[in-house]
Every structure is written in structure tokens, then in C-alpha cells.
Amino acid sequence: MTARFNPPEPQGMKRRDLLQMIGLIAGGSALYNAMTTLGFAADSQYTGPVTLRGAPAGTRIVVLGAGWAGLLAALELRDAGYSVQLLDYNDRIGGRAWSLRGGDVYTEMGGETQRCEFDSGLYVNPGPWRIPYHHRGVLAYARRFNVTLEPFIMVNYNAYVHSSRHFGGKPKRFREVQADFHGHVAELLAKATSKERLDEAVSREDQEKLLAALRSWGALDENYAYRANFDSAERRGYEVNKGGGLMPPPLPSTPIGLQDLLNSNLWEALNSGQIHQWQSTIFQPVGGMDMTPKAIGREIENLITLNAQVKQIKQDERGVTVSYVDSRTGKDARQVRADWCVCTIPLSILSQLDMNVGAPMSAAINALPYESAVKTGLQMKRRFWEEDDAIYGGITFTDLPIQQIAYPNTSYNKPGKGVLLGTFAFGDPALSLTGMSPRLRVQKAVEYGAQIHPQYATEFENGISVAWHRVPGAMGCAAAWDSQLQAAHYDNLAQLDGRIVLAGDHLSRGLTGWQEGAVLSSLDAITRLHKRIVNG
Amino acid sequence: MKFLSIFILFTLAVSLPRAHSADAMKVTMPGVGEERAFPQTQGADLYQAACQACHMPEGVGATAAATYPALAKDPRLKPKAFPITRVLNGSKAMPSFKATLSDEQIVAVVGYVRTHFGNHYSDTISLEDVKALRQ
């Protein structure tokens, strides 16, 4: 669907030469802008560091929420010369960019408290856990704050795809399902092509090329059949793998039949790494997703008030008054007076706060339901997925309510313990898991996971579960936009309303639930706010 | 959620009836979509699966940065149209269950909440009541 626009090359000069010249004369960001214009690097709307100049002296801005959007707003507005205060409900910064480690204590709504019992160095990211290569905003701040990244494995050919209702409930390896699905489809297409049933779609001359392509893509034999042989084994794996010396000679494995494969729905998992947000390369910060927010927080520590529960946001002709209490006690009422307000509080909460904005923004705030998600971290006595199953990082997909098992993308091939993501449930099944006590959620994660990895029965030590609808400062995973809601409310939600502007991943198109959505929304919001302040 | 709809959402931007749009989570699962999200039929089971996440066991609700209203001893449940409409259409952060619960399931779960947790509204709810409010 992408219309490829190729601008004419400047005469007598290659594109690369032109770019080099622009880079030399005008510096990196000009080079980037030029590259974008010429059709490269157009995979992000991040346009480089914001530069806000000419802030009127003494202008006060209150920022609500110390997740990505609020932290960046506070940081960049302070750097621009504004007098900034940042309030957050939690006793920590980072919002949903959060990591749980041994010793952490977490109390969810409903009052149940969990203590994380992980060993030192082990963690789980209950919120965002991956940074795609084209999330240039997040990557730029990670670089600026010297956060070390490592690869996040999205597609692991040796991880499992699992249906509890097919193949006797035994999991299949991703590579087997992919090789067999491609192989069978290639064989079908090859048959149709050679019987000249595709005449209308493919010219005679192209039919031969198509047959060659299908043979290569699907690992077909000389008769365009997909079957057990060394070609298909090179894709799906061997019955007896290659060896040395007098070890037994290799034997190809037997493909799964097309009908069984179609009925199992396992093919649905093949596309997980094909979609733009999940294509390689993807990163994670070494040590936990909260590394970057924490680093930003250290830079602006003196601006931040934690444990501040906002109760009321009132604007008048001259400014904004934010009333808050101590979120731990509900007492100690205080107020912040500022000239302007950047509010990144999730709409699940904002829709219940006393706030005077215009009817269009108010309607937008009240229109959005929030998605459910549940993650459960499980500490295991040994890294059996590596030792026994040769699964290093990546994700297993299943039709069980846990939906995914994700393996740690770090410390590979080391002895000792490890933490699995034992549940990543989303949508309505996640709502059902949320309704359980955290202890039961962990127990279910172990029971379901044991259907795929029987080692759970002996290796499980402890676990912790986060259900996003019960997270006290979030009350939901992410705003559930659809096209009708977008058409009716998106612009109204994003506009500056008097002295208040909203920001956060809920104000992104197609990036809700992504840190990049929060970054781009925040930079856009503060840029517009700054213009309004400077230009009147 | 079926892969196909995710694929369409991402590549063609075609609108879907209820597009799950927390885009970070939209990885496809094999087998999901073969059956209803909520297979339960009994009121108590449906409450646990669809409502208890926020309204809590025994319908006591919860408060943190904002509030999940209690359903226990709730006079607002007296007119049956109120809870039926809420379940069908949602309200603020509460999602609509129009697409994920059948009329029969809504009869069961609303009937359950109106006769439990200290609520004693014994007038029956019919499929017609739900159908009439389902737009």
C-alpha cells in the first residue's frame, strides 16, 4: 500500500553526495530532515531534539504525571527556561514504564499486597518491554541518558506455538509451523501455476519465474512437492540432526499435513514478527524498562513531587490551580498555582477528576474505555527453557488464557535462576484474569504454563502478577481508540484548552500503549504550548 | 482476536467494529477467536469473568487515583434499565460489552448483581428488556 515516491535526483550529483554535503554544511538534524524529504528514514515522526526558545521569564508550568510524557515535558520545558513542577500519584517515577525486582512491594486496587521475591538481578517489566528500531524518540532519549540497550527477541524459530486443542495439546516449534505452512502454500500455488490456472494474474513468461520462486520460498522438490527431505529439513529441522565422526547420519523430519495445520490455527502466530512494530531489530534496556525514565528523573529530581494525588484542576483567565492530597493517606491537601498545565493523567482517571475544560475536550475524556492486560513474572530454579529446550529469548504463543510465555532476552546460557514472563494476556481474557486474586493469577500461570513446559512442576519458585485495571495510578492498560472514537474525539482531546494541554500515549495515532506514543505526544504538546505562550 | 483483523488494521487502516487499539499488545495468538471471549453462562461466573476485575469480589468497588463504583447495596440498580444500559454501552473508562456478551449473558449477569451483594431487586429481567436497549 505504500506509494513509492522517488524524487528526481539533482543533476550531476548522486543522492549520497548531496546528503554528505548537507550534513557537512548544516549538521545532523538538517541531514536527517533532508533524508526524510528524499524518502529515507521516513519511518518515524520524531524530528530530533526539541528546541524551545524565548520562554518568558518566570512563567510557571505544572506537569501532571511522571511517566514518559510528563517527564519529557518537565525536562524540555525546564531546559527552555520555564519554572516547572511535576506531580505524580505513585511513590516512584516512570508510570507504566516500570520494572519489578526482588524486594519490591506492590499493592493493587482491592488491597492485596505482593512482595516480589525474585533473586538479585532478575526482574519483570509489567508494562512496556520492547523498543522497535523505528521508535526514534525513545531511542534518542535512551542515548542521551546513556541507557544501555540489548536485543529483544521477537521471533524465535525454536520457541513454541501451542494449541491446547490440537496435536494432543503438544506444542510445535515455530520453525516447523512456518516451514510447513509456507511449503504447503507454495506447493498449492505451484500446482495452480503449472496447470495454467493463474493465466490471468501471471503472464506466461512470469510463470516460470514464479515457479522458481515458489520452489525456493517453500523448499519444494523438483516436482514442486513439499515433503520430508533435506530441503524441508533445512527449514523445519531434522529428525536426527547433523553430527560428526561415526555419529548417526542426519534424517529429515516429517512435515505436518496441510489440513491439520489449517485446523490448528497455529499459522496465526507466524505473523507476530512481520508487523511493523514487531520487526527486527527490537531493543530492551539492560536491567529493566524503567532505566530511561529513572535516568531522566534524576536529572529533574528537584522538580518532582511523588505521592501526590490530584483531586481538582481548575483554570481561570490567569492560570491553573491544581489541588492534591497525599496519595498514601488521602490527607494533607495542597495546591499548586501555575500559568499553564500539561496533564498526562490517564483518561481512565482524568474522567473522574474535577476539571474545567470545554465541552469538546470533556466529551473526549469521557468517551474512551481502557484495554485490559495482565502480566505475570515467574522465577524458576533453573533456565530449563535454555538447558532442556534450546529456547534462548523470544516468545511462545498459546491459545491458553496466558496467551504468551516470554523468555528472558539476557544472560543467555548461564547457570542459575531465571524469570519467565508466564502470562501476557490481553483483551477480554485478560479481564477475566484480572478478576482473580494475584495469588490465583500466579497459580494459573504455573498450571497453564506446565502444559507447555512440564518443568514448571519442579522448577517454579515464586511469582508476581500485575493486572493493569487494578494498578492504582493507571486503572487500565491503554486507551481503546477505534476509528469512530478517533473521528469524533481525537482532535478535541489534543487541542490546547485554555491553559491546559493533554499528552500521553492516549494522544497518539496507532501508538497507544507504546512509549513512543507518549514521547511524540509530549513533544508535540509542549511545542504547541510553547508557541501559544510566546506568541500569545 | 483474529490475525486477519489485526493485519487489516495495520496495513489498510480499515475501521473495525471494536478495534483493540492498544497497539503494543496486538500480537496474535493461535486459536483465539474460535470461541466467545466469555464462554460463561451463569450470572455468578459472568460476574467473575467480566465485572470483578474492577468492581471487585462482592461488588465492593475500589478507590485509588479514581474509583470503581461499588455495586453492593446500590440503589441505582433498582431501575433495571440502568445496569443493562451500562453493560451494553459502558461509561467513561468502563468498556461496552455489547459485542462480547449475548443478550442471554447480560440477563444472567445483571440479574445476578441485582439479587446479590445486598441488592434485593427481584423483578425479573427478560431478553426483551436487553433487546430493547441494545441499539
Side-chain angles (χ1 to χ4, degrees):
Chain A
M1 292 301 288
T2 21
R4 198 91 189 127
F5 172 68
N6 290 313
E9 294 196 5
Q11 268 195 334
M13 188 184 260
K14 285 189 180 142
R15 221 189 289 204
R16 195 180 56 191
D17 299 334
L18 175 66
L19 290 173
Q20 266 179 2
M21 193 183 76
I22 296 171
L24 281 173
I25 296 168
S29 65
L31 174 64
Y32 175 78
N33 291 335
M35 286 167 71
T36 308
T37 315
L38 293 178
F40 300 104
D43 54 5
S44 168
Q45 298 213 45
Y46 178 73
T47 51
V50 285
T51 43
L52 310 175
R53 292 205 182 86
T59 305
R60 298 162 301 171
I61 300 181
V62 61
V63 180
L64 306 179
W68 268 98
L71 287 166
L72 294 192
L75 173 78
E76 299 294 357
L77 290 168
R78 181 205 65 174
D79 287 354
Y82 290 100
S83 168
V84 176
Q85 278 200 70
L86 173 57
L87 307 183
D88 194 275
Y89 175 89
N90 292 316
D91 60 0
R92 56 173 180 83
I93 59 154
R96 281 166 287 163
W98 179 28
S99 305
L100 282 166
R101 304 177 179 84
D104 287 344
V105 175
Y106 165 56
T107 302
E108 67 175 37
M109 292 180 78
E112 289 188 75
T113 295
Q114 301 175 81
R115 192 187 149 83
C116 184
E117 305 285 354
F118 296 163
D119 278 28
S120 170
L122 303 178
Y123 71 92
V124 65
N125 291 323
W129 56 327
R130 47 195 159 199
I131 306 171
Y133 68 91
H134 49 87
H135 285 192
R136 287 170 178 264
V138 174
L139 287 170
Y141 282 97
R143 186 165 57 240
R144 177 169 157 194
F145 287 89
N146 203 23
V147 171
T148 308
L149 303 178
E150 61 193 342
F152 176 102
I153 310 298
M154 185 68 211
V155 178
N156 180 336
Y157 279 70
N158 206 41
Y160 292 121
V161 285
H162 172 250
S163 167
S164 59
R165 290 178 288 248
H166 295 89
F167 307 113
K170 295 257 183 333
K172 297 289 181 190
R173 301 284 185 173
F174 183 95
R175 62 180 148 75
E176 299 170 337
V177 174
Q178 174 160 287
D180 296 351
F181 190 70
H182 288 179
H184 289 307
V185 170
E187 181 179 320
L188 285 176
L189 260 174
K191 274 183 192 151
T193 308
S194 51
K195 286 180 186 161
E196 301 182 353
R197 288 196 182 142
L198 297 181
D199 276 1
E200 282 180 20
V202 185
S203 72
R204 286 289 169 110
E205 305 84 72
D206 286 346
Q207 282 183 13
E208 242 173 84
K209 282 182 194 164
L210 179 60
L211 282 170
L214 289 170
R215 193 176 165 194
S216 159
W217 180 64
L220 306 183
D221 69 10
E222 64 279 10
N223 300 316
Y224 300 97
Y226 181 70
R227 58 185 184 83
N229 59 23
F230 287 107
D231 287 335
S232 63
E234 276 297 288
R235 307 285 173 91
R236 72 186 316 285
Y238 288 78
E239 185 69 39
V240 176
N241 207 346
K242 299 155 204 171
L246 286 175
M247 291 174 181
L251 268 181
S253 55
T254 307
I256 308 164
L258 174 62
Q259 202 178 349
D260 288 343
L261 201 53
L262 285 176
N263 288 339
S264 72
N265 281 0
L266 289 183
W267 49 268
E268 287 186 5
L270 298 179
N271 307 293
S272 53
Q274 304 287 335
I275 291 160
H276 194 219
Q277 304 285 10
W278 293 296
Q279 289 171 6
S280 296
T281 304
I282 305 178
F283 300 103
Q284 64 181 23
V286 172
M289 191 50 89
D290 58 358
M291 289 296 179
T292 321
K294 275 183 172 171
I296 299 171
R298 281 192 290 274
E299 169 90 12
I300 55 172
E301 209 168 358
N302 58 327
L303 312 181
I304 303 176
T305 304
L306 296 176
N307 300 307
Q309 178 178 2
V310 173
K311 301 292 255 187
Q312 191 186 60
I313 305 164
K314 286 282 176 194
Q315 57 176 332
D316 53 53
E317 278 149 34
R318 282 166 298 127
V320 184
T321 302
V322 175
S323 305
Y324 66 97
V325 296
D326 189 311
S327 55
R328 295 162 296 186
T329 61
K331 293 176 184 152
D332 199 15
R334 286 164 193 247
Q335 290 192 333
V336 174
R337 177 72 180 174
D339 301 298
W340 306 89
C341 174
V342 179
C343 178
T344 74
I345 296 172
L347 304 179
S348 49
I349 293 160
L350 198 60
S351 58
Q352 292 189 27
L353 299 190
D354 181 9
M355 179 162 90
N356 60 341
V357 290
M361 180 183 274
S362 185
I365 291 169
N366 288 334
L368 278 166
Y370 265 58
E371 301 282 6
S372 293
V374 173
K375 279 188 176 177
T376 304
L378 304 175
Q379 177 166 301
M380 300 290 173
K381 287 176 201 159
R382 65 184 182 94
R383 298 166 71 101
F384 58 79
W385 52 95
E386 297 181 349
E387 294 170 16
D388 304 351
D389 304 321
I391 297 172
Y392 297 89
I395 302 170
T396 280
F397 295 96
T398 172
D399 64 347
L400 293 169
I402 54 173
Q403 297 181 12
Q404 301 181 33
I405 297 172
Y407 310 93
N409 299 299
T410 196
S411 305
Y412 298 119
N413 213 24
K414 293 236 169 80
K417 300 178 182 182
V419 167
L420 289 175
L421 184 70
T423 305
F424 184 13
F426 191 67
D428 297 319
L431 201 59
S432 301
L433 287 175
T434 304
M436 299 175 186
S437 71
R439 192 179 307 241
L440 185 56
R441 266 181 249 136
V442 170
Q443 187 189 320
K444 288 284 173 195
V446 174
E447 284 172 15
Y448 286 128
Q451 294 186 33
I452 297 167
H453 292 287
Q455 299 99 321
Y456 272 43
T458 51
E459 309 299 348
F460 168 70
E461 280 195 332
N462 61 70
I464 189 164
S465 180
V466 172
W468 279 94
H469 263 109
R470 289 195 178 175
V471 175
M475 296 181 67
C477 157
W481 287 106
D482 63 23
S483 53
Q484 283 166 341
L485 285 168
Q486 277 214 355
H489 297 296
Y490 186 90
D491 288 349
N492 294 335
L493 195 66
Q495 297 297 341
L496 190 64
D497 183 299
R499 293 177 167 269
I500 298 171
V501 67
L502 308 188
D505 65 294
H506 47 282
L507 272 161
S508 68
R509 297 186 199 267
L511 287 167
T512 44
W514 287 98
Q515 296 171 107
E516 184 75 357
V519 171
L520 296 181
S521 159
S522 180
L523 297 182
D524 173 69
I526 61 171
T527 303
R528 284 187 285 117
L529 177 63
H530 175 72
K531 272 187 194 151
R532 167 75 179 78
I533 294 171
V534 171
N535 300 333
Chain B
M1 178 160 191
K2 287 279 193 189
F3 163 69
L4 190 63
S5 50
I6 297 167
F7 180 78
I8 290 169
L9 190 70
F10 269 88
T11 56
L12 304 175
V14 166
S15 66
L16 294 167
R18 189 188 176 234
H20 287 277
S21 61
D23 309 274
M25 317 303 160
K26 238 176 295 175
V27 176
T28 172
M29 279 72 63
V32 170
E34 283 184 356
E35 52 186 47
R36 291 192 83 90
F38 301 108
Q40 298 83 1
T41 55
Q42 301 302 307
D45 299 335
L46 281 162
Y47 180 80
Q48 218 163 58
C51 316
Q52 187 164 298
C54 299
H55 295 289
M56 300 288 157
E58 303 299 316
V60 296
T63 293
T67 294
Y68 294 130
L71 304 178
K73 295 179 188 158
D74 185 356
R76 296 183 308 164
L77 299 177
K78 188 168 194 284
K80 56 191 173 185
F82 175 77
I84 295 172
T85 308
R86 277 288 200 264
V87 171
L88 282 171
N89 299 337
S91 170
K92 295 190 172 178
M94 174 172 168
S96 155
F97 290 88
K98 198 180 281 178
T100 49
L101 293 178
S102 66
D103 292 348
E104 288 81 0
Q105 286 173 309
I106 292 174
V107 166
V109 74
V110 172
Y112 175 78
V113 172
R114 291 178 81 242
T115 53
H116 289 77
F117 314 145
N119 299 311
H120 304 285
Y121 307 111
S122 53
D123 54 318
T124 52
I125 297 172
S126 66
L127 288 175
E128 282 64 41
D129 292 332
V130 179
K131 281 196 178 81
L133 292 165
R134 197 187 269 278
Q135 286 136 9

